[in-house]
Structures are given as structure tokens and as C-alpha cells.
Amino acid sequence: MKQKIKVAVFKFTSCSGCQLPFLNMETELLDLAEAVEIACFAMASSAVHPGPYDVAFVEGGISCARDVERIKMVREQTKILVAIGNCAVHGGPQALRNRLPFDEVKSAVYPQPDLVEGYPTSKGLAEYVPVDGFLEGCPVDKGHLQDYIVSVLQGKAPEVSTRSVCLECKMKNNVCVIVAEGVACMGVVTSAGCGALCPSYDRGCYGCFGPSADPNLSAFSNLCRELGLTGDEVQRKYRYIVSNAKAFREEADKYAPKPGEG
Ligand code: SF4
Ligand code: SF4
Ligand code: SF4
């Protein structure tokens, strides 16, 4: 029998939502169990087998010195390190703090802000260590996790989609909410992968899979203005779930109020 690949799942600064898709695999997990040894996965088992690991799926952003120390340790012990979800890829929803005074942010959230140790920023793993794969989503999609594991088992390079949510939406024969309802749906500039979940329920996409490859953000921003959004509302579209993705961040900056504009 072929030797199993040794897989680990690690959590950094995150809500743990990207670990759940592993547990949600259910029957698929049983199939994978024949080829994969889960060596470390704190949410599923207290048993921790030491590295080295063939693949480490890492959830969470880096937001304190302890995170930096740990991710370097994981990197040293891992052949293929995969960032899973918005936090690990871009820094997560908590990266909203990156452009705000950290003391103010801490005071707004915690009763004893002085006890909070951490960096003023939350960033993706690749800012600190080399990363071999990126799976977008908030949370990550369980199908993408399965495909990644199967690709590693087959010795193939995992496929990375360059499509936008619009393509998936069209494949589902959804009525476009921009056209039908004048909703500023971000599906046009967002990575595919969720199966156009929100537009399938007549809701605009809010970009949780991050920017698609080469998105035309200035055209989307102009469209938002034509649909009646103010400059501040356009800015907020980008500064939401995936605020620290470079393309969204830079487009948001164009619409940020200038000093004195409030
Ligand atoms: S990417 Fe989203 S779902 Fe995943 S851990 Fe971060 S906040 Fe939670
Ligand atoms: S509803 Fe959104 S995702 Fe669907 S086609 Fe229209 S813009 Fe694209
Ligand atoms: S439609 Fe957009 S916001 Fe909704 S799940 Fe998909 S990527 Fe996320």
C-alpha cells in the first residue's frame, strides 16, 4: 500500500470557520482517510503528531509576535504550506484595523486594552513566510480543500481558478441582480469558488472570495456611482470582508475621504 501523506491543519488569528469545512467533508473524509494521515488538527483531535508534514493547511492571519514565531516553525516542518481562507491569504476581516490607530481600535473593543498584546496590523501568511498555495474564501470552500488534497495525492499542480463569480452565476441561470434590481453586486470583480451563493438568493455578492484575477475595479466603482452609491459607500464596498487584498485596498484608497472631508 502506498504511504499516506501526512497532513496538518493549523490555526492562527481567525474565527476557526475555515477549519469547519474539513469536518463538514464527512463521507469524503472517510475516503481520504485511506490516503491521508491527519497528523495534527486541534479542532478534531487532541492527538498531535510531530512534523515533518507533507501538507499544512493554515487558517488565520498573523497579528502578533507569537504568530510569527509559530508560522516560521510550521514552515520549517512542512513541504507544502497552503494558506486557507481570507485571514491566511489577506489578513482577514480583522485587517480592517490596519489603517486605524491601534490604541483606538483596542479601546473600542476591549475593556482593558492595555492587556492586549498584538501587532497593529493583521496580515496574510505570505508576508512572513513562503506560501505554496492560496485558497480564497471566508470561509474556504470544502470542495477546494478536497481538490487540493487530491492534486497532491496525484502529484499534479492544483488548479487555481481565474474566473469571477459572474461566470458561476451565469452557469446557474441566475437573473443578474445588477440588471434586475440595481444592486451593486461585487461578483464581477470577485474570485469564483462559492458557486455564486449570494446571487442565487437574489443578494449581491460582497466579495468574500477576494479579488478575481485582474479585476476591472475602476469600471466597477464607476458602475457603483451610476447606481447611486456615494464615494464613501464605494470605499466601504472594498473595505469589508477582504479589506486587505491589495487590489481592493488600492481601489478603496481612491474613494477614501480626503482630510477635512470627514
Ligand atoms: S477566513 Fe473567514 S471564516 Fe475563515 S477563519 Fe478567517 S474570518 Fe473565519
Ligand atoms: S448577479 Fe452578480 S455575480 Fe451574478 S451576473 Fe450579476 S454581477 Fe455577476
Ligand atoms: S457570492 Fe460573493 S459574498 Fe457570497 S459567498 Fe460568493 S464570494 Fe462570498
Side-chain angles (χ1 to χ4, degrees):
M1 191 181 150
K2 213 173 155 192
Q3 204 182 356
K4 291 182 177 185
I5 61 166
K6 205 166 163 185
V7 171
V9 181
F10 293 100
K11 170 187 160 64
F12 284 73
T13 305
S14 61
C15 80
S16 302
C18 284
Q19 294 174 73
L20 286 175
F22 284 101
L23 299 179
N24 289 341
M25 282 184 202
E26 298 176 350
T27 49
E28 297 95 328
L29 205 52
L30 293 177
D31 291 338
L32 284 175
E34 308 215 338
V36 168
E37 174 198 350
I38 305 285
C40 170
F41 183 9
M43 188 182 263
S45 166
S46 51
V48 176
H49 301 283
Y53 307 109
D54 293 302
V55 187
F57 291 102
V58 180
E59 169 201 86
I62 303 298
S63 62
C64 60
R66 200 177 42 158
D67 282 348
V68 177
E69 217 174 282
R70 276 184 67 224
I71 193 62
K72 286 184 176 166
M73 234 160 56
V74 170
R75 177 67 275 184
E76 277 168 18
Q77 297 178 32
T78 304
K79 278 193 212 152
I80 303 173
L81 191 152
V82 189
I84 58 168
N86 170 26
C87 294
V89 178
H90 301 292
Q94 61 273 28
L96 275 171
R97 74 172 186 249
N98 291 8
R99 53 188 295 280
L100 300 170
F102 193 38
D103 284 341
E104 279 178 32
V105 173
K106 285 194 290 186
S107 303
V109 176
Y110 298 102
Q112 292 176 282
D114 291 346
L115 298 183
V116 179
E117 288 176 10
Y119 291 166
T121 56
S122 174
K123 294 183 179 173
L125 310 181
E127 299 276 345
Y128 295 91
V129 292
V131 174
D132 304 298
F134 299 90
L135 298 180
E136 298 271 7
C138 192
V140 69
D141 177 75
K142 79 168 184 178
H144 290 181
L145 292 169
Q146 279 164 18
D147 290 348
Y148 204 100
I149 294 171
V150 170
S151 298
V152 172
L153 287 169
Q154 294 176 339
K156 294 192 310 192
E159 278 180 32
V160 180
S161 168
T162 55
R163 300 173 304 176
S164 71
V165 176
C166 282
L167 192 76
E168 295 180 317
C169 196
K170 291 294 163 209
M171 286 164 72
K172 285 192 150 177
N173 283 329
N174 289 339
V175 174
C176 177
V177 297
I178 294 182
V179 177
E181 297 171 37
V183 171
C185 173
M186 290 185 77
V188 276
V189 292
T190 298
S191 289
C194 67
L197 188 60
C198 301
S200 301
Y201 290 93
D202 284 334
R203 294 184 52 195
C205 166
Y206 50 88
C208 83
F209 267 61
S212 54
D214 202 17
N216 191 342
L217 292 174
S218 55
F220 178 68
S221 300
N222 290 339
L223 174 73
C224 290
R225 296 307 301 267
E226 283 167 27
L227 291 171
L229 273 66
T230 63
D232 190 45
E233 286 168 336
V234 175
Q235 180 205 186
R236 286 166 188 269
K237 294 224 53 105
Y238 299 113
R239 290 203 217 281
Y240 190 37
I241 303 285
V242 191
S243 65
N244 201 38
K246 186 169 181 279
F248 283 179
R249 204 174 62 220
E250 289 178 353
E251 187 66 12
D253 284 344
K254 294 183 197 167
Y255 288 86
K258 307 282 178 293
E261 283 180 5

